[in-house]
Amino acid sequence: MGRELRRVALDFDWPANKVWQGFLNPLYVATKCAECDGEGYSADGRRLKALWYGHMPFKPEDRGSVPFTPADEAVAAFATRNVTRSPEFYGHGQVAIDREARRLCALWNGAWSHHLNTGDVAALVAADRLYDLTHTFDPVNRWRPKDPPHVPTPREVNVWSISGGMGHDSINQYVCVKAECERLGVPLHCSACNGDGELWPSADAKQAYEDWQEVPPPAGDGYQIWETVSEGSPISPVFASPEELATHMAGTKWGADEGTPYETWLAFINGPGWAPSMVMDGRGIHSGVDAAVTSQDRGAE
Ligand SMILES: [Zn+2]
């Protein structure tokens, strides 16, 4: 995902920033599964996913959980943080905080993801998904299981999920929906598409799509820079020499490549020839081309 030098035919002529046709598989003829709207879930799976995100009516009591109230410490802390950080609330004090706390409670009490029960927690622990609560972290030992092992209570997990960290991701959602489907004895996946979310006219058509191989641009003596953030497209004209290409790229006026000097480009073209668009390291954020050349220099020392 970045910048790449390609050696192409000198007369190679393909529009800049347009994905090279040889990189696009033309054999994709599948259609979205209408039964599951491309999600791959069964009807029960879709219903549970909607409950998880609060996209359909949900009550904490339905899962044996207790609704959050404005008096809960975690709610009050979050509301205070939101209010005091927002300039428009400045000076409104406790009234604004109480209003925000009520808003947050309505939001959080409307989604299964903040009201897990012991079964949900067990599924997440079994899938190694609650490291924040079951492990400790320090820079030396990294993640380590708590000793003695700790199985968090649903309340602990639910407070953690509203407390402003990363919270549950889509993998956690999948783990909980899958476990609930197993408990209910209902299928998780859509039977029409076997969970793929798409339908192929035939197995042969799918196989042909999977067997397809990309066709690189015509090789030759030319020098050209490509972006690989998409499937791949040229972002410079074709030049006959590294020096001409470096001169052109050093004049880039926008985007990730702006400000990378001629010498860096030349070293990149003659050296690694591949780099991510942007890199963050001890020196801050800078262009990937710059970083690739620098790390190459370090390697040569
Ligand atoms: Zn389907």
Side-chain angles (χ1 to χ4, degrees):
M1 298 250 292
R3 300 288 174 264
E4 186 175 48
L5 172 73
R6 278 192 175 267
R7 301 299 308 276
V8 297
L10 281 166
D11 63 354
F12 177 62
D13 187 19
W14 185 257
N17 297 306
K18 180 179 178 180
V19 174
W20 165 238
Q21 63 183 2
F23 291 161
L24 296 173
N25 190 333
L27 302 178
Y28 185 81
V29 289
T31 50
K32 186 163 88 170
C33 177
E35 180 70 25
C36 63
D37 200 28
E39 284 196 66
Y41 279 123
S42 65
D44 284 301
R46 293 199 298 283
R47 178 179 59 82
L48 291 167
K49 185 180 169 190
L51 288 172
W52 178 270
Y53 289 113
H55 294 161
M56 60 186 282
F58 170 87
K59 288 209 307 290
E61 295 87 341
D62 293 344
R63 297 204 63 83
S65 187
V66 180
F68 288 109
T69 72
D72 281 324
E73 204 178 319
V75 175
F78 205 102
T80 304
R81 209 155 56 224
N82 277 0
V83 168
T84 52
R85 277 182 188 173
S86 164
E88 64 193 89
F89 280 115
Y90 184 75
H92 291 248
Q94 196 57 42
V95 175
I97 291 174
D98 290 344
R99 193 189 324 127
E100 176 66 354
R102 286 195 298 277
R103 185 188 72 83
L104 290 171
C105 285
L107 190 70
W108 291 331
N109 289 333
W112 170 22
S113 61
H114 302 305
H115 290 282
L116 306 194
N117 61 27
T118 49
D120 305 324
V121 172
L124 289 174
V125 170
D128 263 347
R129 298 297 308 171
L130 294 175
Y131 263 39
D132 281 354
L133 301 166
T134 58
H135 287 59
T136 56
F137 181 85
D138 68 71
V140 178
N141 296 311
R142 317 293 295 175
W143 291 102
R144 282 197 160 184
K146 285 183 180 169
D147 184 21
H150 177 63
V151 176
T153 64
R155 175 75 184 173
E156 251 182 286
V157 176
N158 295 331
V159 167
W160 164 82
S161 116
I162 65 161
S163 291
M166 294 297 286
H168 297 293
D169 58 12
S170 60
I171 299 173
N172 286 14
Q173 173 258 307
Y174 176 81
V175 168
C176 288
V177 169
K178 179 168 178 279
E180 181 70 0
C181 283
E182 283 165 8
R183 281 189 292 265
L184 295 173
V186 297
L188 167 68
H189 289 124
C190 169
S191 58
C193 65
N194 285 322
D196 292 339
E198 56 185 19
L199 296 168
W200 288 84
S202 69
D204 284 351
K206 186 175 186 185
Q207 194 59 48
Y209 169 79
E210 284 168 2
D211 290 345
W212 174 86
Q213 299 204 327
E214 65 176 37
V215 181
D221 293 332
Y223 294 82
Q224 188 174 42
I225 298 293
W226 287 56
E227 60 80 22
T228 59
V229 177
S230 71
E231 288 87 346
S233 63
I235 57 169
S236 81
V238 179
F239 291 96
S241 71
E243 289 76 15
E244 289 169 276
L245 178 55
T247 301
H248 173 84
M249 291 310 295
T252 305
K253 292 287 186 289
W254 46 267
D257 301 314
E258 185 195 352
T260 303
Y262 169 83
E263 293 73 22
T264 306
W265 275 111
L266 190 61
F268 172 75
I269 293 163
N270 288 324
W274 184 90
S277 337
M278 297 291 238
V279 164
M280 194 171 87
D281 63 15
R283 297 185 295 140
I285 297 177
H286 42 110
S287 93
V289 169
D290 180 36
V293 169
T294 307
S295 67
Q296 182 191 240
D297 291 348
R298 288 202 192 111
E301 278 167 11

